[in-house]
């Protein structure tokens, strides 16, 4: 469970591998302001290449990277390329098919 004013973040698949290769943890608590931050900003703060992140699980629901994360959330970043049937079952297909909004950093 995240402590007050933070979110608990896990990395999945190749994002986990990338973090381990850098010597970074694959599970961290990230402080957030009460109003929260979009998932893409949190991913960027964790040095994740946004072009490799397709979606975010937040409290067991899949969202796109514009979803605002708030203190107390449990989060996992999902890499692009999650295999076929899992994409539909988990809702990743819908969350990850959109393009990055204009002006948003791409990695």
């Amino acid at each position: 469970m995240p402590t007050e004013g933070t979110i608990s973040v896990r990395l999945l698949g190749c994002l986990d591998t990338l973090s381990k290769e850098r010597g970074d943890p694959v599970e961290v608590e990230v402080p957030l302001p009460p109003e929260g931050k979009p998932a893409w900003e949190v991913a960027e703060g964790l040095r994740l290449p946004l072009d490799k992140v397709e979606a975010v699980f937040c409290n067991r629901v899949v969202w796109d990277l514009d979803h605002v994360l708030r203190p107390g959330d449990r989060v996992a970043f999902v890499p692009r390329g999650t295999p076929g049937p899992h994409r539909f079952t988990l809702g990743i297909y819908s969350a990850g098919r959109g393009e990055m909004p204009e002006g948003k950093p791409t990695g």
Side-chain angles (χ1 to χ4, degrees):
M1 247 357 235
T3 58
E4 190 173 334
T6 69
I7 58 172
S8 175
V9 178
R10 289 199 53 131
L11 305 177
L12 304 177
C14 69
L15 301 173
D16 173 286
T17 303
L18 174 66
S19 188
K20 286 177 183 174
E21 287 172 354
R22 293 181 184 163
D24 293 341
V26 295
E27 192 168 346
V28 296
E29 284 194 18
V30 176
L32 284 184
E35 67 274 9
K37 284 187 181 180
W40 68 267
E41 279 189 40
V42 173
E44 204 172 55
L46 293 171
R47 303 186 312 147
L48 299 176
L50 295 181
D51 62 333
K52 298 209 182 303
V53 181
E54 184 164 13
V56 62
F57 276 109
C58 179
N59 303 323
R60 301 182 183 180
V61 178
V62 177
W63 299 92
D64 67 22
L65 296 180
D66 285 327
H67 180 71
V68 176
L69 305 174
R70 299 198 188 322
D73 287 344
R74 296 182 70 195
V75 174
F77 285 101
V78 181
R80 292 198 180 278
T82 300
H86 304 297
R87 301 178 65 69
F88 292 99
T89 304
L90 299 173
I92 296 168
Y93 175 77
S94 297
R97 70 179 172 188
E99 296 296 317
M100 290 287 197
E102 190 153 332
K104 182 183 292 183
T106 57

